[in-house]
């Protein structure tokens, strides 16, 4: 009996003193494991006489239960202590501002405008701006669209009521008036792009009353259509991120350019996905031409000294083509699900080296 008592004291003491769960497990194995001390005692029961077994059986089993219970209690105590220590060390200061999680996204239109700016900046173009409420003269007359010119009717213009002097302002119908403002304000040579909002009284799946254009203007002494073609080719390759592109300049008419052309790029729509630079389809992407001498004169430039080219292109359409969006109206619905799906991370700034559409 003394043996059992000292074993009991020893085991319970060790359990109480165990500092870690690993120590405790060690004790358990040594006492209750296959060749543990308590297991060894229990094994002796078989060889005892029935009288002895009656006395020792309950004693040995009692010891096993006591040790098991002590192990369970100590384990719970150690776990609670460990949790307390962890909670103390991981305490949160609720008075601190929460860490900033990235929120919001860059709208595809802003993204495409940034991509355009990056591409043209690399070609030496700076960005010019003009007002969205424009004079009739800047929006039309200076661009060789005099009053009564049929081209005015094609623009579905939002007119303001005439002011005291009888002058009508308009919501600009295109970004071309920025050409006029730039030529009046700065001395040539000039190389600018002008991205911005424009307005026309029109609305369906491919037209919205407000949309976006980017205008380009180059004025110099020996500028030709060859410069125009190279510039546009370089732009299309960079924008659609392809090495090769075939372009078609289709003769067209714009009052502010002469000659004028519309530009198509070769593409394929196989599998419903647009691929620029291959296939047998053509995609119209912009209008362009050599700046009409009348426009140069309206801007006080001598057409015998200065020539230039201009182009104008729908930004929304470019965004739809590049990023596969089908309904223009969704651009302006402010639907968070759409914005999360099509938006861009504000950390992915377009760069030519990193990929403009990164
Ligand atoms: N302003 C024209 C439009 O809104 C687009 C355009 C065509 C602009 C030819 C140009 C150009 O500068 O040369 O439809």
């Amino acid at each position: 009996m003394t043996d059992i008592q000292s074993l009991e004291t020893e085991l319970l003491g060790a359990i109480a003193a165990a500092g870690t769960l690993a120590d405790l497990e060690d004790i358990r194995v040594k006492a209750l494991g296959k060749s543990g001390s308590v297991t060894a005692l229990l094994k002796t029961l078989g060889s005892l006489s029935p009288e002895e077994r009656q006395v020792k059986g309950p004693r040995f089993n009692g010891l096993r239960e006591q040790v098991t219970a002590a192990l369970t209690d100590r384990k719970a105590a150690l776990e609670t202590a460990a949790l307390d220590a962890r909670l103390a060390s991981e305490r949160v200061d609720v008075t601190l501002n929460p860490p900033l999680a990235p929120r919001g996204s860059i709208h595809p239109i802003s993204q495409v405008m940034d991509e355009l700016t990056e591409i043209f900046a690399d070609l030496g173009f700076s960005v010019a701006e003009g007002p969205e409420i424009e004079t009739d003269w800047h929006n039309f007359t200076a661009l060789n669209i005099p009053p009564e010119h049929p081209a005015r009717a094609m623009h579905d213009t939002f007119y303001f009521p005439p002011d005291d002097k009888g002058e009508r302002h308009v919501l600009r119908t295109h970004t071309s008036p920025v050409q006029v403002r730039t030529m009046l304000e700065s001395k040539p040579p000039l190389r600018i792009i002008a991205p911005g909002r424009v307005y026309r009284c029109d609305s369906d799946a491919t037209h919205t009353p407000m949309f976006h254009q980017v205008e380009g203007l180059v004025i110099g002494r020996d500028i030709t259509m060859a410069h125009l073609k190279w510039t546009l080719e370089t732009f299309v390759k960079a924008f659609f991120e392809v090495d090769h592109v075939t372009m078609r300049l289709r003769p067209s008419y714009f009052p502010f350019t002469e000659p004028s052309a519309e530009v198509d790029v070769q593409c394929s729509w196989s599998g419903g996905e647009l691929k620029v630079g291959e296939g047998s389809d053509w995609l119209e992407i912009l209008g362009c031409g050599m700046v009409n001498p009348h426009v140069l004169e309206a801007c006080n430039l001598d057409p015998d000294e200065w020539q230039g080219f201009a182009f104008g292109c729908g930004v929304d359409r470019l965004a739809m083509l590049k990023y596969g969006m089908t309904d223009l109206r969704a651009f302006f619905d402010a639907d968070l699900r759409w914005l999360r799906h099509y938006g861009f991370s504000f950390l992915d700034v377009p760069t030519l080296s990193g990929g403009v559409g990164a």
Side-chain angles (χ1 to χ4, degrees):
M1 268 311 173
T2 347
D3 268 2
I4 293 179
Q5 238 153 29
S6 61
L7 182 60
E8 180 188 309
T9 319
E10 185 199 324
L11 286 175
L12 296 182
I15 290 169
T20 65
L21 289 169
D23 288 350
L24 203 61
E25 177 62 8
D26 223 34
I27 299 168
R28 188 192 68 76
V29 172
K30 281 191 182 134
L32 303 176
K34 247 198 216 154
S35 30
S37 48
V38 178
T39 314
L41 279 180
L42 288 164
K43 276 187 194 156
T44 60
L45 285 177
S47 55
L48 295 179
S49 64
E51 299 77 35
E52 266 185 319
R53 201 178 303 144
Q54 247 183 11
V55 179
K56 288 192 176 173
R59 186 75 181 96
F60 290 175
N61 279 312
L63 175 62
R64 190 187 56 191
E65 276 158 30
Q66 238 184 329
V67 170
T68 307
L71 282 168
T72 310
D73 288 352
R74 185 71 192 140
K75 188 165 179 233
L78 284 175
E79 280 172 351
T80 310
L83 183 63
D84 285 347
R86 213 176 121 203
L87 287 176
S89 71
E90 289 179 3
R91 192 178 45 208
V92 176
D93 183 346
V94 289
T95 63
L96 281 177
N97 289 329
L100 270 185
R103 272 171 180 236
S105 58
I106 302 292
H107 194 284
I109 304 259
S110 304
Q111 172 78 12
V112 166
M113 296 239 215
D114 288 349
E115 292 175 17
L116 296 171
T117 308
E118 173 68 17
I119 293 168
F120 280 104
D122 195 56
L123 299 175
F125 286 65
S126 48
V127 173
E129 285 183 322
E132 288 172 30
I133 297 178
E134 197 39 291
T135 67
D136 188 290
W137 186 81
H138 286 89
N139 195 79
F140 291 123
T141 312
L143 288 164
N144 199 30
I145 316 177
E148 319 311 331
H149 191 290
R152 286 197 178 205
M154 285 158 50
H155 276 218
D156 301 312
T157 312
F158 287 111
Y159 285 99
F160 284 83
D163 62 16
D164 300 343
K165 285 179 244 143
E167 273 175 27
R168 276 187 317 184
H169 279 73
V170 299
L171 284 178
R172 67 176 180 192
T173 56
H174 50 177
T175 42
S176 303
V178 185
Q179 289 186 34
V180 176
R181 291 187 174 270
T182 308
M183 286 189 269
L184 287 171
E185 280 158 23
S186 328
K187 283 203 178 335
L190 298 169
R191 230 184 280 178
I192 58 113
I193 57 160
R197 293 194 188 101
V198 299
Y199 302 84
R200 290 188 200 178
C201 189
D202 205 355
S203 184
D204 59 37
T206 52
H207 297 90
T208 47
M210 186 278 292
F211 58 104
H212 300 81
Q213 286 188 339
V214 63
E215 193 78 12
L217 175 71
V218 171
I219 300 287
R221 284 206 159 82
D222 298 301
I223 301 293
T224 68
M225 290 243 359
H227 297 120
L228 167 62
K229 184 161 182 264
W230 180 88
T231 306
L232 295 177
E233 238 166 45
T234 307
F235 154 63
V236 171
K237 280 195 279 192
F239 181 74
F240 287 106
E241 301 180 53
V242 291
D243 294 329
H244 172 78
V245 68
T246 306
M247 280 182 12
R248 186 166 76 172
L249 270 73
R250 244 182 320 107
S252 183
Y253 172 75
F254 298 104
F256 29 89
T257 42
E258 182 60 36
S260 302
E262 278 172 301
V263 173
D264 301 336
V265 290
Q266 186 194 19
C267 69
S268 101
W269 283 108
S270 77
E273 196 196 339
L274 170 71
K275 289 209 185 80
V276 170
E278 54 187 77
S280 54
D281 281 329
W282 295 95
L283 182 72
E284 184 192 320
I285 55 159
L286 52 83
C288 63
M290 300 305 292
V291 179
N292 190 307
H294 288 138
V295 177
L296 294 169
E297 275 162 3
C299 300
N300 307 323
L301 293 179
D302 178 358
D304 291 329
E305 192 183 353
W306 301 105
Q307 300 87 44
F309 66 74
F311 58 88
C313 167
V315 173
D316 318 72
R317 189 171 148 76
L318 283 184
M320 289 170 85
L321 291 170
K322 183 163 174 182
Y323 296 113
M325 295 163 274
T326 46
D327 191 334
L328 180 60
R329 290 168 297 196
F331 278 65
F332 311 114
D333 279 349
D335 182 335
L336 267 182
R337 291 161 305 175
W338 189 91
L339 290 168
R340 283 201 190 107
H341 181 77
Y342 286 110
F344 292 82
S345 161
F346 49 80
L347 297 172
D348 286 338
V349 180
T351 63
L352 285 175
S353 51
V356 280

